[in-house]
Amino acid sequence: MSSDSQHSSARLVDRRPTITGTELVATLVPPPQFDRASFDSYRPDPNYPSQEEARELLRAFAAPAPTVSRGGLFGFGRKKSPDPAANTPTKPGVYLDGGFGVGKTHLLAATWHATTGRKYFGTFIEYTALVGALGYNGAVSVLQGARLICIDEFELDDPGDTMLMTRLIGDLTASGTKFVATSNTPPNALGEGRFAAADFLREIQAMADRFQTIRIDGVDYRQRDLEGEAVALSDDQYLFALADVASSHERMTDDGFSELIEHLATVHPSSYSGLLSGVQCIGLRDVHELTDQSSALRFVAFIDRVYDAQIPIRATGTPLTSIFGGGMLDGGYRKKYLRCMSRLNALTASEIER
């Protein structure tokens, strides 16, 4: 097969997307794969009762406050409003703690859909990017008055982010906004293994005090029908994949893995979604092990956006589930890498939607 077809494909490294504060606000909605997420469409695993408990607690959290209907002389004969659910959270926030692939983001999106009024849904990094784009006061003025703010992938990687998000949550809950957040780490353990968490115990604890934590147990649903490592193609299989996608009038990008890793360092993570506009499949050549932590974390953030968009990946070289080397899986970001590996396994096995 001619190499011309290979080089005629679009390349992610040629894209230099930027996103303004106004555009960021417009993107604060659930990813397309969760457009129809609801509490009823969530399928709790009967082997893990905590999944059903979490769903019902969030259902009560999202329900509008009951109103009292007054009627009859001196109130006699009036219709009584139902008592609130016994497990309705009393704090302004709910924190979903659990492993990856147990449906936390589905429940987060279901809560967003079930809540009336102005609301926002975004990843932790999107909210910190919003503060960077609008300034702290500007971000507060935009978010203030929202009934609900959903924060996915709540991971604190440095002390500055800890204090920033704690301050933001404190200011917004004081004005009546409710929060639901997801993470693989409970709020009073955020930062462990990454920086001197003891120096920021006051800030971390202040944030934890505003959340009721729900632990969700279970197995990774993405791996139920998958075995082994991420799919790695031979060079010929990769070229045929490019040709197959092109013949279907779809769009597959074609990038060297090293070049993409270098390019991600030049794009702010909040703009990674802009790299994916119009892409139906991502091609990566000569995948290799990563030993630089910063490069690995940028790639994790990129794959989070790829997974949100449900874009399949076709790759050659080292299986993408084996790229986190240098002891990374033993460090403080272990859960981030494991979540990314789960997503990479699913994305390399998934079909291209046509």
Side-chain angles (χ1 to χ4, degrees):
M1 180 178 296
S2 169
S3 62
D4 290 341
S5 61
Q6 176 179 344
H7 294 294
S8 65
S9 301
R11 301 197 309 161
L12 295 175
V13 297
D14 292 332
R15 299 184 172 196
R16 293 193 177 357
T18 58
I19 188 167
T20 66
T22 301
E23 290 170 333
L24 266 174
V25 173
T27 65
L28 293 178
V29 296
Q33 69 181 112
F34 295 109
D35 279 346
R36 298 181 181 277
S38 69
F39 294 122
D40 290 336
S41 65
Y42 179 72
R43 295 289 180 263
D45 188 333
N47 294 317
Y48 298 95
S50 59
Q51 295 186 12
E52 172 70 17
E53 293 168 4
R55 179 176 70 168
E56 295 313 305
L57 187 144
L58 286 170
R59 194 194 297 270
F61 185 76
T67 57
V68 177
S69 176
R70 300 180 183 275
L73 186 62
F74 304 116
F76 291 108
R78 67 180 176 225
K79 183 179 180 181
K80 295 182 179 180
S81 59
D83 292 332
N87 65 343
T88 301
T90 57
K91 294 184 178 183
V94 173
Y95 200 99
L96 301 180
D97 166 46
F100 44 86
V102 296
K104 299 189 302 298
T105 302
H106 184 125
L107 288 173
L108 187 69
T111 306
W112 189 90
H113 286 299
T115 300
T116 58
R118 185 158 58 91
K119 54 198 175 181
Y120 299 100
F121 183 111
T123 62
F124 175 81
I125 199 170
E126 287 173 322
Y127 289 108
T128 56
L130 184 67
V131 174
L134 300 179
Y136 183 82
N137 291 334
V140 170
S141 67
V142 167
L143 300 175
Q144 201 164 35
R147 185 174 180 208
L148 176 70
I149 292 178
C150 295
I151 308 174
D152 203 12
E153 301 161 14
F154 204 122
E155 300 277 353
L156 300 186
D157 298 336
D158 63 62
D161 286 344
T162 301
M163 293 183 288
L164 172 65
M165 191 54 69
T166 301
R167 181 185 173 194
L168 187 67
I169 290 172
D171 287 345
L172 293 175
T173 53
S175 64
T177 297
K178 299 200 297 185
F179 285 81
V180 181
T182 74
S183 180
N184 299 320
T185 307
N188 59 358
L190 287 170
E192 290 181 0
R194 303 171 197 174
F195 54 83
D199 294 341
F200 298 89
L201 182 60
R202 181 184 306 171
E203 287 81 2
I204 294 172
Q205 189 59 49
M207 181 178 66
D209 286 345
R210 293 186 172 92
F211 287 90
Q212 176 174 336
T213 300
I214 311 171
R215 173 69 191 182
I216 306 179
D217 299 306
V219 296
D220 182 1
Y221 75 90
R222 286 184 289 266
Q223 305 307 311
R224 291 173 188 170
D225 300 319
L226 298 174
E227 294 181 1
E229 296 184 301
V231 177
L233 304 179
S234 68
D235 290 342
D236 284 344
Q237 288 173 324
Y238 182 82
L239 292 177
F240 277 114
L242 283 173
D244 180 57
V245 174
S247 66
S248 301
H249 304 289
E250 304 295 334
R251 194 172 195 186
M252 178 173 173
T253 58
D254 175 28
D255 291 273
F257 185 68
S258 294
E259 289 73 23
L260 176 63
I261 294 300
E262 292 177 5
H263 185 59
L264 292 179
T266 69
V267 180
H268 192 279
S270 64
S271 297
Y272 283 173
S273 58
L275 291 171
L276 306 175
S277 178
V279 175
Q280 278 83 34
C281 184
I282 291 172
L284 296 176
R285 289 177 282 107
D286 303 321
V287 173
H288 57 79
E289 186 181 80
L290 297 175
T291 55
D292 177 70
Q293 187 107 264
S294 296
S295 296
L297 289 172
R298 281 192 289 267
F299 187 68
V300 168
F302 172 70
I303 292 302
D304 285 340
R305 304 290 73 78
V306 174
Y307 186 77
D308 284 345
Q310 289 291 283
I311 301 174
I313 296 176
R314 302 292 180 258
T316 70
T318 300
L320 282 162
T321 44
S322 300
I323 64 173
F324 299 114
M328 291 185 191
L329 295 181
D330 298 321
Y333 297 102
R334 172 180 171 81
K335 290 182 179 179
K336 272 193 172 184
Y337 295 136
L338 291 177
R339 182 190 69 212
C340 184
M341 290 164 61
S342 167
R343 292 179 168 184
L344 286 166
N345 201 357
L347 290 170
T348 57
S350 60
E351 298 295 327
I352 301 171
E353 292 188 7
R354 292 172 179 163

